Amino acid sequence: MLGHARQRGIEVDWTFYCTLGQPGAMDEKARALGARIIRSPVPIVKKLEFLRSLRLELRRGEYDVLHCHHDIMSAVYLLAASGTRIRRRIVHVHNADEALPTPSRLKQRFYREPMRRVCLFMADRIVGISNHTLDTFLAGRARRPERDIVHYYGLDPTPFEHVTADRAGFRRQWDLPEDARILLFGGRLVPEKNPVFVVDVLADLRCIESRAVAVFSGLGSQERDVLARARELSVESSVRLLGWRNDLPEIMSCSDWFILPHPEQTMEGFGLAVVEAQLAGLRMLLSRGIPDDPLLPTACFRRLPLSGGSKAWAIAAMELLRNPAPSRAAALAALRKSPMNMDQALNGLLALHT
């Protein structure tokens, strides 16, 4: 959004206050765009020290807007800002899991509701990245006009407009048959994304379509679990773990299906990869843990319950394959008309600050 604002000649003065003490992957890009980056001298787990340190910075910088992106933990930032001259205080909710940085479930249950109330009482605006995310955070409360808002991520379609798919070259690179049908999982390999279930789907899919393979683009704690399950089901030779990649548009354009079997409780906040898969012209297999919000009118997908089992997912994959591939041009046109259009998303973001 900062880069897009600069391209449009819109001057914004943004400072990023980071809770982690280590450099981030986007630091240099943000600085090149004129942003300042400040790292908290103390970790957020030291709550009082963190709060005092942030409060000093808020007073020193004389900021106009405090835009908190830490979900329910944003209560800490709001408390730090109490009594300051900041005129706009925003809590931006990106996830529906309402996690707190403690392994203790008792502490999480104890702190969650008081922190939610702090956010609802002290913030001028509560912003969710999807309808489901916002309503989950409000926890049954009615939306307040002009205060409780859905604001979708802006997505730059340029990488998908100019991508050239070398399907044969990609298959050679990863030692796959030239006629392989690729089932793509793109995202973190962690329990909340359920990547192991993809291996189960692959095993059943290969019983119907012997050319099927599964490609995983991402890193996470379940990499070994994925490989172990593949060995257990005797499909290890048909599984490829690519690691973290910066060329996901190219990988998507070389694939046949996109699969995201997200657990149904709690639901995904907003599946950005789901939008990207549509722009790449992929057929999609989605769980009921994926909200409707990321789906464009042109989407070609099947939404299935996890309880239906992997065989039902494999059958759905073959049913999707019998239909023509979705039109990338139509998906790009639909994106331009949606709230995820970069101009529209930037305008909405700036409107939050006024």
Side-chain angles (χ1 to χ4, degrees):
M1 287 291 97
L2 177 59
H4 193 63
R6 293 285 186 259
Q7 290 173 13
R8 288 181 50 189
I10 299 173
E11 290 300 320
V12 291
D13 180 12
W14 288 350
T15 296
F16 296 92
Y17 192 87
C18 304
T19 61
L20 297 178
Q22 62 198 52
M26 302 293 286
D27 282 10
E28 293 310 312
K29 184 175 182 179
R31 289 195 182 98
L33 290 168
R36 287 169 292 175
I37 298 174
I38 299 173
R39 294 192 179 86
S40 173
V42 293
I44 196 169
V45 291
K46 296 183 178 180
K47 298 177 184 61
L48 290 178
E49 294 175 49
F50 177 87
L51 192 148
R52 282 195 293 265
S53 178
L54 175 56
R55 187 176 180 82
L56 286 172
E57 174 57 31
L58 293 175
R59 286 185 164 173
R60 183 206 64 79
E62 297 183 344
Y63 299 99
D64 298 301
V65 179
L66 176 64
H67 196 145
C68 311
H69 293 269
H70 211 159
D71 303 333
I72 209 160
M73 280 296 295
S74 296
V76 177
Y77 305 89
L78 294 170
L79 290 170
S82 62
T84 65
R85 296 182 179 179
I86 292 175
R87 60 172 177 77
R88 176 72 69 204
R89 302 161 197 234
I90 303 165
V91 170
H92 207 138
V93 188
H94 296 261
N95 295 286
D97 53 16
E98 300 184 331
L100 294 172
T102 173
S104 170
R105 291 188 178 182
L106 182 62
K107 287 184 178 179
Q108 288 200 24
R109 291 178 62 185
F110 180 80
Y111 285 115
R112 185 174 290 121
E113 286 310 309
M115 294 181 77
R116 188 197 314 275
R117 291 192 194 101
V118 168
C119 291
L120 295 174
F121 178 73
M122 298 188 68
D124 300 307
R125 286 175 178 161
I126 305 292
V127 183
I129 60 169
S130 69
N131 283 293
H132 168 74
T133 304
L134 177 59
D135 290 335
T136 298
F137 193 84
L138 294 178
R141 298 167 176 83
R143 294 186 189 182
R144 298 161 295 181
E146 308 300 326
R147 287 194 66 182
D148 302 324
I149 300 164
V150 174
H151 178 266
Y152 296 103
Y153 290 138
L155 195 145
D156 181 7
T158 306
F160 294 91
E161 291 173 334
H162 304 299
V163 68
T164 54
D166 183 4
R167 292 173 63 91
F170 181 79
R171 283 155 176 75
R172 285 194 301 271
Q173 179 185 359
W174 293 100
D175 193 26
L176 293 169
E178 289 186 5
D179 60 350
R181 295 288 196 180
I182 294 179
L183 179 69
L184 175 66
F185 175 94
R188 292 177 296 130
L189 274 65
V190 292
E192 54 266 34
K193 299 290 185 180
N194 200 19
V196 176
F197 184 77
V198 177
V199 183
D200 293 349
V201 175
L202 173 67
D204 285 314
L205 184 55
R206 284 185 60 80
C207 294
I208 312 171
E209 170 54 88
S210 61
R211 297 173 294 175
V213 301
V215 170
F216 294 81
S217 178
L219 295 172
S221 61
Q222 289 206 306
E223 292 174 58
R224 291 183 180 180
D225 298 317
V226 166
L227 292 175
R229 185 61 172 162
R231 286 192 294 270
E232 183 181 342
L233 297 177
S234 302
V235 293
E236 186 178 12
S237 62
S238 301
V239 170
R240 299 289 186 275
L241 270 62
L242 310 189
W244 193 259
R245 301 288 294 248
N246 293 320
D247 57 347
L248 195 57
E250 287 78 8
I251 296 170
M252 284 183 165
S253 298
C254 292
S255 302
D256 298 284
W257 301 279
F258 178 80
I259 182 168
L260 189 53
H262 193 283
E264 290 154 14
Q265 297 295 331
T266 57
M267 290 180 67
E268 175 101 336
F270 177 88
L272 192 58
V274 174
V275 185
E276 294 173 329
Q278 293 168 83
L279 298 183
L282 284 175
R283 305 164 178 89
M284 300 186 298
L285 293 162
L286 308 174
S287 74
R288 291 180 177 173
I290 305 299
D292 290 329
D293 294 34
L295 297 174
L296 298 168
T298 56
C300 177
F301 71 100
R302 287 288 300 276
R303 181 182 274 120
L304 300 111
L306 294 172
S307 60
S310 54
K311 186 175 181 179
W313 285 61
I315 292 171
M318 293 307 298
E319 290 172 350
L320 286 172
L321 203 58
R322 295 189 190 104
N323 298 322
S327 166
R328 289 170 53 188
L332 287 163
L335 179 74
R336 285 191 286 269
K337 297 177 182 177
S338 79
M340 294 172 280
N341 170 277
M342 289 290 284
D343 286 339
Q344 208 168 320
L346 177 60
N347 292 340
L349 182 63
L350 297 178
L352 296 175
H353 296 170
T354 59

